[in-house]
């Protein structure tokens, strides 16, 4: 079975892994870059990297409507569970075999306060080892950290990295991240949503492809990429 990724703009993604639907950071309503409405998506799982509004997004209404299981850090899982959402809490360094693959949480250098000011624990990234053996690294919102080299040692097929600067890595550090991770493909996200994080993604793609072996996936919102088997 093939593994497909669709970018919905900003940090929102849809993964299709072995026929299972997984949404990531579904900030759709109020997201100027979004190409889809919250009530149009169908999913069985939702991954949330941290508590910020532009990532938690429409998690609660989507999870309630679809019955999706939300996979996130323990603090956010408790906060969501108290709002009637089905959750699976994990934490940094911990992995669990979900029906679409093995999901391990990684560190991310960022904040995670929830919209009501609650403590959202530590922000995370995800390494998904799909049933067909692909490794997908979703960095979440983060600054550069040297331990990305250890993540790279797992053999990453696709890394999804923020490049927008201001709140996360900008283009220079994201290029360093690609060098530490050594993925086959990189998908840049978290740019262009607002002027504050505007970037020339094609210029960044050229730098990455000049200086590394990694292929850059420059997608438009709602465009997809299927990983070769
Ligand atoms: Ni954030
Ligand atoms: Mn963000």
């Amino acid at each position: 079975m093939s593994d497909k990724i669709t970018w919905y703009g900003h940090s929102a993604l849809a993964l299709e892994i072995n026929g299972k639907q997984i949404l990531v950071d579904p900030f759709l309503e109020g997201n100027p870059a979004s190409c889809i409405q919250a009530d149009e998506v169908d999913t069985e799982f939702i991954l949330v990297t941290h508590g910020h509004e532009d990532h938690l997004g429409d998690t609660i209404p989507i999870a309630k409507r679809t019955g999706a299981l939300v996979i996130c850090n323990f603090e956010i899982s408790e906060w969501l569970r108290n709002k009637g959402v089905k959750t699976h809490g994990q934490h940094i360094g911990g992995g669990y075999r979900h029906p679409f693959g093995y999901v391990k949480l990684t560190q991310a250098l960022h904040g995670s306060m929830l919209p009501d000011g609650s403590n959202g624990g530590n922000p995370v990234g995800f390494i998904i080892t799909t049933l067909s053996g692909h490794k997908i690294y979703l960095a979440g919102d983060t600054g550069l950290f040297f331990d990305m080299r250890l993540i790279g040692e797992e053999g990453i097929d696709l890394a999804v990295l923020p490049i927008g600067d201001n709140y996360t890595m900008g283009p220079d550090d994201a290029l360093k991240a690609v060098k530490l991770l050594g993925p086959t493909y990189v998908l840049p996200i978290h740019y262009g949503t607002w002027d504050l994080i505007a970037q020339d993604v094609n210029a960044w793609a050229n730098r990455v492809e000049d200086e590394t072996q990694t292929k850059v996936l420059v997608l438009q919102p709602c465009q997809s990429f299927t990983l070769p088997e």
Side-chain angles (χ1 to χ4, degrees), residues 128-190:
I128 305 169
T129 308
T130 72
L131 290 182
S132 49
H134 290 129
K135 290 238 190 206
I136 302 172
Y137 170 50
L138 309 172
D141 278 7
T142 187
L144 180 67
F145 54 91
F146 193 71
D147 288 8
M148 284 181 179
R149 175 159 291 170
L150 291 174
I151 294 171
E153 283 176 7
E154 299 209 16
I156 303 298
D157 295 290
L158 168 64
V160 180
L161 302 180
I163 68 158
D165 220 345
N166 196 75
Y167 298 114
T168 67
M169 291 189 285
D172 292 346
D173 281 358
L175 172 59
K176 288 183 184 168
V178 172
K179 291 177 180 175
L180 291 170
L181 291 161
T184 308
Y185 298 96
V186 64
L187 171 63
I189 63 168
H190 211 278

Side-chain angles (χ1 to χ4, degrees), residues 10-11 25 49-50 52-55 110 140-141 167-168 190 194 197:
H10 197 57
S11 285
D25 287 351
T49 59
H50 63 290
H52 293 165
E53 194 89 67
D54 60 317
H55 297 259
H110 196 68
D141 278 7
Y167 298 114
T168 67
H190 211 278
W194 304 282
I197 56 171

Side-chain angles (χ1 to χ4, degrees), residues 34-183:
S34 174
C35 57
I36 193 163
Q37 301 296 308
D39 59 9
E40 293 175 310
V41 294
D42 194 20
T43 195
E44 293 161 82
F45 300 91
I46 302 174
L47 305 187
V48 177
T49 59
H50 63 290
H52 293 165
E53 194 89 67
D54 60 317
H55 297 259
L56 184 74
D58 306 297
T59 295
I60 294 171
I62 294 170
K64 286 193 171 171
R65 177 174 55 78
T66 60
L69 179 73
V70 180
I71 301 166
C72 56
N73 78 22
F74 176 76
E75 289 81 3
I76 297 173
S77 78
E78 288 295 292
W79 186 82
L80 288 171
R81 195 173 54 79
N82 285 328
K83 298 185 183 308
V85 171
K86 257 194 325 182
T87 62
H88 180 106
Q90 295 182 215
H91 235 306
I92 295 169
Y96 184 80
R97 204 162 300 286
H98 291 282
F100 54 91
Y102 184 76
V103 177
K104 186 164 84 172
L105 271 57
T106 72
Q107 68 164 336
L109 301 180
H110 196 68
S112 185
M113 190 173 74
L114 286 153
D116 64 0
S118 296
N119 172 20
N122 287 308
V124 305
F126 296 98
I127 301 171
I128 305 169
T129 308
T130 72
L131 290 182
S132 49
H134 290 129
K135 290 238 190 206
I136 302 172
Y137 170 50
L138 309 172
D141 278 7
T142 187
L144 180 67
F145 54 91
F146 193 71
D147 288 8
M148 284 181 179
R149 175 159 291 170
L150 291 174
I151 294 171
E153 283 176 7
E154 299 209 16
I156 303 298
D157 295 290
L158 168 64
V160 180
L161 302 180
I163 68 158
D165 220 345
N166 196 75
Y167 298 114
T168 67
M169 291 189 285
D172 292 346
D173 281 358
L175 172 59
K176 288 183 184 168
V178 172
K179 291 177 180 175
L180 291 170
L181 291 161

